[in-house]
Amino acid sequence: MAETLLRVAGVSKTFGGLKAVSRVSLDVPEGSLTALIGPNGAGKTTLFALMSGFIAADEGQIELAGQDITGQAPHLNARLGMARTFQIVQPFAAQTVRENIAVGAHLRHHQRADALAQAEAVAHRVGLGPQLDKPASDLTVAGRKRLELARALATEPRLLLLDEVLAGLNPQEIGDMIPVVRSIADGGVTVLMIEHVMQAVMNLAEHVWVLAQGELIAQGTPQAVTRNDRVIEAYLGVGTAARLRAAGGPHD
């Protein structure tokens, strides 16, 4: 059985009386590809920010590879091997794709030539090889998503937190991106993804956690959680699960 790489234990965060995350606990095994899903406003991105150190938890503990990183700054977590992407992609528009990726590579490679070489290797992994010398401002939405992924991957993480890396893509682009994410996991990087695109979750994730109103309401295989009454109602409203059962639809 794989060892736990990331452990979140009883983590909570309140903003002005709103409980954004409430006593959430989960373990991410090393070498896994898992997903965190839930309706808009469920607290998923807040939980990622807590894990990665961009905001501090009010209570609870977070460990990476057995080391307590609760409240630790993001750059220190990056040195320990945690990287994350962001929903809103903000590349350095005037720089080339190669230079953008090299920013991440500089975490491990202090010489510019080494960082640029690492950037080129990562670009090929995510399908940006032909666009290395293009200004980032010239990339399509799909290209910018790949660039965001590449910048995080260039830090050579053990754990990669992907925050809606497929958002805004059309079905063809989603289909093209799914094997890229899978290849990263197959290459030895542990991946935890926030995702609304259920096609990707069903195709990629071994295990899924479901967050609703800041609380963890279900977990299991993608197939199991999509049949869970609490999950159905979190997405579609109270009473939906009963109506689906009456109509002969999916249920637990």
Side-chain angles (χ1 to χ4, degrees):
M1 190 170 178
E3 289 188 11
T4 297
L5 180 58
L6 177 71
R7 171 163 286 140
V8 177
V11 166
S12 298
K13 183 66 182 180
T14 300
F15 296 105
L18 172 68
K19 201 93 168 183
V21 173
S22 181
R23 301 194 58 78
V24 169
S25 298
L26 56 85
D27 287 357
V28 179
E30 184 148 28
S32 62
L33 202 171
T34 55
L36 179 66
I37 68 170
N40 287 328
K44 302 181 299 296
T45 294
T46 299
L47 185 56
F48 260 25
L50 292 166
M51 291 173 178
S52 51
F54 283 86
I55 58 176
D58 296 331
E59 61 178 330
Q61 187 175 35
I62 301 165
E63 294 181 0
L64 181 65
Q67 182 171 331
D68 187 352
I69 61 165
T70 311
Q72 184 164 274
H75 71 279
L76 299 176
N77 293 333
R79 291 190 185 281
L80 290 176
M82 181 190 291
R84 69 164 291 190
T85 66
F86 293 85
Q87 284 182 35
I88 299 171
V89 182
Q90 295 181 309
F92 299 106
Q95 293 188 316
T96 65
V97 168
R98 187 192 312 267
E99 290 165 336
N100 266 270
I101 302 172
V103 171
H106 272 294
L107 181 70
R108 313 278 179 206
H109 302 276
H110 301 303
Q111 298 298 320
R112 179 169 170 77
D114 294 339
L116 289 170
Q118 168 70 357
E120 183 167 345
V122 170
H124 286 291
R125 285 181 70 184
V126 304
L128 285 176
Q131 304 186 74
L132 274 161
D133 297 313
K134 178 183 283 191
S137 57
D138 289 355
L139 292 176
T140 63
V141 171
R144 289 182 180 217
K145 287 286 186 175
R146 288 179 188 252
L147 180 58
E148 178 77 356
L149 178 58
R151 288 198 300 185
L153 198 55
T155 66
E156 300 176 34
R158 290 178 67 182
L159 173 66
L160 183 57
L161 305 178
L162 300 181
D163 195 348
E164 294 196 42
V165 75
L166 303 176
L169 303 187
N170 66 38
Q172 175 66 50
E173 291 163 342
I174 290 168
D176 291 342
M177 186 69 108
I178 285 173
V180 174
V181 176
R182 182 176 296 286
S183 71
I184 290 168
D186 289 346
V189 179
T190 302
V191 177
L192 172 60
M193 58 194 298
I194 290 174
E195 198 48 71
H196 279 293
V197 179
M198 289 308 295
Q199 172 200 350
V201 174
M202 301 298 283
N203 272 285
L204 290 169
E206 306 151 22
H207 190 89
V208 178
W209 292 274
V210 187
L211 207 61
Q213 296 181 321
E215 296 184 355
L216 209 55
I217 62 166
Q219 62 171 299
T221 65
Q223 294 77 14
V225 299
T226 54
R227 294 193 302 267
N228 182 290
D229 284 0
R230 290 190 72 189
V231 175
I232 292 167
E233 299 200 345
Y235 275 97
L236 302 176
V238 175
T240 305
R243 287 194 296 273
L244 285 171
R245 270 200 300 277
H251 64 278
D252 237 2

